[in-house]
Amino acid sequence: LFSHGLAAIGFNVTGIDNNAAPDLQEYYPEPCLKTANRLKTVFGTNPDFVETDIEPYILNNNREFDVVLLLNVVHHFFEGYAKSGIGKKSHDKIFMPLRILCSHIRRVMYFEGPENEDIAYYPEGILFPDWFKDQAGACKIKAIAKTIGANGMIRNLYRIQFY
């Protein structure tokens, strides 16, 4: 829905999802990108949706972005999707693409993750969203809203400025 809303107000939108977490969690009636593509006709918008892992997309594109939505993604890289081990990445394979992504953000990123939950999703000493300021050039981080993750837990949505 975020992608369609942004497209409706004039943004060029690219949505990236590999459907791995939703497939493992089995919370959704159909793959997320299938739903997103179907909603193009409902909303009369035309975002571009790409079914891939975020890492190769970032490494193979030099695009710049005004706005990036990084919603419920990063924590899956540390333990695998839905803590399954599937899709688990080494720290280099997590941090290098994130730094590259951040270097391509002209304005702002919205980040959502499970840092408020009792489960430790990030390794000790790695703190999100502060990592974006400490390691990737963000200049300001502000919690702006509460959201609910697919697991029903309350999460924070952050606005992270890069200008």
Side-chain angles (χ1 to χ4, degrees):
L1 292 177
F2 291 110
S3 297
H4 291 287
L6 291 168
I9 60 172
F11 282 93
N12 291 322
V13 175
T14 301
I16 302 164
D17 199 326
N18 66 5
N19 285 314
D23 287 349
L24 285 167
Q25 293 166 330
E26 298 180 341
Y27 294 150
Y28 307 95
E30 65 183 4
C32 295
L33 290 182
K34 183 175 181 180
T35 302
N37 278 309
R38 186 173 41 77
L39 290 174
K40 288 179 181 182
T41 56
V42 173
F43 295 121
T45 58
N46 197 27
D48 180 32
F49 294 112
V50 180
E51 186 169 351
T52 189
D53 191 39
I54 192 170
E55 180 190 358
Y57 186 86
I58 292 168
L59 296 177
N60 293 308
N61 282 282
N62 286 323
R63 293 178 58 192
E64 289 195 342
F65 305 96
D66 289 325
V67 179
V68 168
L69 305 176
L70 196 59
L71 308 176
N72 281 318
V73 175
V74 173
H75 64 283
H76 291 290
F77 300 152
F78 291 98
E79 297 291 331
Y81 297 104
K83 291 186 122 341
S84 68
I86 297 170
K88 181 177 179 177
K89 301 176 185 311
S90 70
H91 287 187
D92 287 346
K93 295 277 187 181
I94 297 168
F95 297 130
M96 190 250 308
L98 283 177
R99 283 188 186 98
I100 291 170
L101 174 64
C102 292
S103 74
H104 290 257
I105 299 172
R106 291 187 288 226
R107 298 191 50 85
V108 66
M109 172 172 37
Y110 292 91
F111 173 81
E112 178 185 33
E115 65 282 348
N116 294 335
E117 294 180 21
D118 292 336
I119 300 168
Y121 284 94
Y122 306 122
E124 189 172 327
I126 298 174
L127 303 173
F128 281 94
D130 295 336
W131 182 90
F132 292 106
K133 194 172 191 178
D134 298 339
Q135 301 290 323
C139 61
K140 186 176 181 182
I141 299 171
K142 182 178 180 181
I144 60 168
K146 299 286 186 195
T147 63
I148 299 176
N151 63 0
M153 302 296 290
I154 295 175
R155 297 182 174 177
N156 283 331
L157 177 63
Y158 297 91
R159 184 178 196 277
I160 303 174
Q161 288 179 227
F162 284 88
Y163 60 92

